[in-house]
């Protein structure tokens, strides 16, 4: 979950280029005939700010649908190199789920249901495996207007939306996490929840917090909270300070407070019992010369 700047591609220009590229004989007749209506749909998308409830697709022929999807999948025209560049962008944090290392491209409006925007740069975002796990999910109940939020147009990702409630079993050997919404009265809470349930959680957020990060903390505390590398025992206040520092560091480094590490650290800060345990665990770790019990 990360707000991104709008891509700068001139979408009308590459549509014209595709329609006149003589190597693409099976594609361009359909694009040429329909170029104006597709450009009008691009303008409509911008006017509606990518809001899935307000965007109205045209009825298009199967041939045009297939030409647009094939254009996306084959990227044979030089003008579509921007899609590969977008995929290869080195960004540590996925714009759709807040997880790590986006390596694919997600269509915010899925291309199978909204083919008119299959190669529209403002409908394409770098994403991780959440892209596959989400499938074509886009809208919730009409009664709530819930929908997937858009990294280019929606501002909800710019502020902290998520924390976690940590409960423990077996003397802190294992934890369970429940994702908590920080702003339950936010005007867009229905969409925030829809986005989190259908994209963020499907991508494995809870497992990352309860297994990956907690295992790190148990096995080598400094891997989960930087600063705990210090070879000295600490007070609870020291540890809280280090967690707060780390939280700011992850927020800044990833460009969003809704990255998965920050969600974990924020949850720690809201769980005094867990912070007490982390302090004791760290101190025991130091006294044991860097070995866990
Ligand atoms: Zn993702």
């Amino acid at each position: 979950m990360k707000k991104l700047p709008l891509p700068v591609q001139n979408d009308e220009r590459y549509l014209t280029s595709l329609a006149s590229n003589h190597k693409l004989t099976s594609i361009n007749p359909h694009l040429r005939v329909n170029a104006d209506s597709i450009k009008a749909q691009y303008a409509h998308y911008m006017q509606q700010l990518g809001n899935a409830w307000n965007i109205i697709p045209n009825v298009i022929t199967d041939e045009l649908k297939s030409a647009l999807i094939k254009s996306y999948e084959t990227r044979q025209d030089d003008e579509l190199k921007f899609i590969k560049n977008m995929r290869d962008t080195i960004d540590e944090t996925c714009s759709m789920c807040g997880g790590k290392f986006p390596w694919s491209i997600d269509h915010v409006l899925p291309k199978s249901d909204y083919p008119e925007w299959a190669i529209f740069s403002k409908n394409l975002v770098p994403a991780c495996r959440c892209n596959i796990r989400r499938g074509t999910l886009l809208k919730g109940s009409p009664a709530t207007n819930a929908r997937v939020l858009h990294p280019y147009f929606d501002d909800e990702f710019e502020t902290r939306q998520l924390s976690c409630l940590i409960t423990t079993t077996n003397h802190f050997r294992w934890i369970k996490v429940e994702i908590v919404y920080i702003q339950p009265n936010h005007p867009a809470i229905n969409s925030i929840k829809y986005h989190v349930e259908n994209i963020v959680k499907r991508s494995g957020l809870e497992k990352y917090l309860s297994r990956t990060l907690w295992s790190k903390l148990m096995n080598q505390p400094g891997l989960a909270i930087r600063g705990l590398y210090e070879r000295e025992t600490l007070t609870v206040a020291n540890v809280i300070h280090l967690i707060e520092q780390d939280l700011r560091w992850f927020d800044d480094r990833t460009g969003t407070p809704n990255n998965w590490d920050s969600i974990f650290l924020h949850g720690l800060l809201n769980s005094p019992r867990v912070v007490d345990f982390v302090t004791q665990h760290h101190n025991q770790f130091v006294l044991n010369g860097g070995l866990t019990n």
Side-chain angles (χ1 to χ4, degrees), residues 94-99 127-131 199 203:
C94 175
S95 61
M96 290 297 273
C97 76
C128 71
R129 63 183 171 179
C130 63
N131 171 24
I199 297 184
S203 188

Side-chain angles (χ1 to χ4, degrees), residues 164-293:
C164 64
L165 185 65
I166 300 173
T167 52
T168 62
T169 55
N170 195 11
H171 305 291
F172 291 96
R173 186 161 293 277
W174 308 108
I175 61 164
K176 285 185 180 175
V177 296
E178 181 190 336
I179 302 306
V180 175
Y181 295 91
I182 291 176
Q183 304 179 56
N185 298 317
H186 191 291
I189 191 63
N190 291 329
S191 291
I192 293 167
K193 285 185 175 175
Y194 183 83
H195 190 106
V196 170
E197 291 295 328
N198 292 293
I199 297 184
V200 184
K201 286 190 179 177
R202 278 170 187 257
S203 188
L205 169 63
E206 289 151 316
K207 191 174 164 189
Y208 179 76
L209 305 186
S210 64
R211 298 203 193 165
T212 307
L213 289 181
W214 189 254
S215 296
K216 278 186 187 177
L217 192 55
M218 290 296 284
N219 293 329
Q220 193 160 350
L223 288 179
I225 302 167
R226 289 162 319 113
L228 291 186
Y229 282 120
E230 304 286 338
R231 289 275 174 251
E232 59 187 45
T233 56
L234 299 171
T235 64
V236 169
N238 294 146
V239 171
I240 289 173
H241 177 67
L242 290 173
I243 297 173
E244 286 171 343
Q245 259 187 349
D246 226 16
L247 179 66
R248 282 195 294 275
W249 186 85
F250 274 108
D251 288 355
D252 290 346
R253 181 188 165 108
T254 61
T256 171
N258 298 300
N259 72 80
W260 291 8
D261 289 276
S262 287
I263 293 167
F264 180 70
L265 294 166
H266 197 273
L268 285 181
L269 288 172
N270 282 335
S271 311
R273 223 178 120 239
V274 181
V275 175
D276 282 351
F277 166 76
V278 169
T279 307
Q280 287 169 27
H281 180 64
H282 164 77
N283 291 342
Q284 198 61 49
F285 190 78
V286 171
L287 295 171
N288 286 350
L291 296 170
T292 48
N293 287 324

Side-chain angles (χ1 to χ4, degrees), residues 15-277:
L15 202 56
T16 305
S17 170
L18 280 173
S20 59
N21 183 335
H22 294 298
K23 290 181 196 160
L24 308 177
T25 51
S26 66
I27 289 175
N28 62 29
H30 305 290
L31 294 184
R32 198 156 43 234
V33 171
N34 295 285
D36 286 344
S37 81
I38 297 171
K39 287 175 186 173
Q41 286 297 72
Y42 285 1
H44 172 60
Y45 191 107
M46 296 303 290
Q47 280 161 5
Q48 300 304 331
L49 304 175
N51 183 321
W53 283 108
N54 298 339
I55 289 177
I56 303 166
N58 279 335
V59 177
I60 66 171
T61 62
D62 287 345
E63 289 82 3
L64 178 58
K65 176 175 177 176
S66 139
L68 285 159
I69 291 178
K70 199 169 171 190
S71 298
Y72 171 77
E73 286 170 351
T74 59
R75 300 165 203 173
Q76 287 171 319
D77 192 277
D78 282 351
E79 290 280 344
L80 293 183
K81 276 185 179 162
F82 80 88
I83 297 174
K84 181 177 184 309
N85 294 340
M86 189 184 271
R87 195 191 63 196
D88 294 343
T89 300
I90 299 172
D91 193 333
E92 198 174 292
T93 305
C94 175
S95 61
M96 290 297 273
C97 76
K100 288 179 191 277
F101 307 122
W103 49 268
S104 70
I105 297 286
D106 197 5
H107 290 76
V108 181
L109 266 54
K111 64 181 183 302
S112 55
D113 297 330
Y114 297 83
E116 289 160 285
W117 298 282
I119 51 172
F120 184 46
S121 66
K122 283 71 176 174
N123 190 44
L124 307 177
V125 292
C128 71
R129 63 183 171 179
C130 63
N131 171 24
I132 298 160
R133 295 188 172 183
R134 167 197 170 196
T136 57
L137 292 168
L138 179 67
K139 295 193 283 190
S141 150
T144 62
N145 268 0
R147 63 182 169 89
V148 164
L149 293 167
H150 202 307
Y152 296 137
F153 298 100
D154 292 314
D155 295 331
E156 283 73 20
F157 300 155
E158 289 195 303
T159 51
R160 195 179 310 284
Q161 300 292 352
L162 301 179
S163 183
C164 64
L165 185 65
I166 300 173
T167 52
T168 62
T169 55
N170 195 11
H171 305 291
F172 291 96
R173 186 161 293 277
W174 308 108
I175 61 164
K176 285 185 180 175
V177 296
E178 181 190 336
I179 302 306
V180 175
Y181 295 91
I182 291 176
Q183 304 179 56
N185 298 317
H186 191 291
I189 191 63
N190 291 329
S191 291
I192 293 167
K193 285 185 175 175
Y194 183 83
H195 190 106
V196 170
E197 291 295 328
N198 292 293
I199 297 184
V200 184
K201 286 190 179 177
R202 278 170 187 257
S203 188
L205 169 63
E206 289 151 316
K207 191 174 164 189
Y208 179 76
L209 305 186
S210 64
R211 298 203 193 165
T212 307
L213 289 181
W214 189 254
S215 296
K216 278 186 187 177
L217 192 55
M218 290 296 284
N219 293 329
Q220 193 160 350
L223 288 179
I225 302 167
R226 289 162 319 113
L228 291 186
Y229 282 120
E230 304 286 338
R231 289 275 174 251
E232 59 187 45
T233 56
L234 299 171
T235 64
V236 169
N238 294 146
V239 171
I240 289 173
H241 177 67
L242 290 173
I243 297 173
E244 286 171 343
Q245 259 187 349
D246 226 16
L247 179 66
R248 282 195 294 275
W249 186 85
F250 274 108
D251 288 355
D252 290 346
R253 181 188 165 108
T254 61
T256 171
N258 298 300
N259 72 80
W260 291 8
D261 289 276
S262 287
I263 293 167
F264 180 70
L265 294 166
H266 197 273
L268 285 181
L269 288 172
N270 282 335
S271 311
R273 223 178 120 239
V274 181
V275 175
D276 282 351
F277 166 76

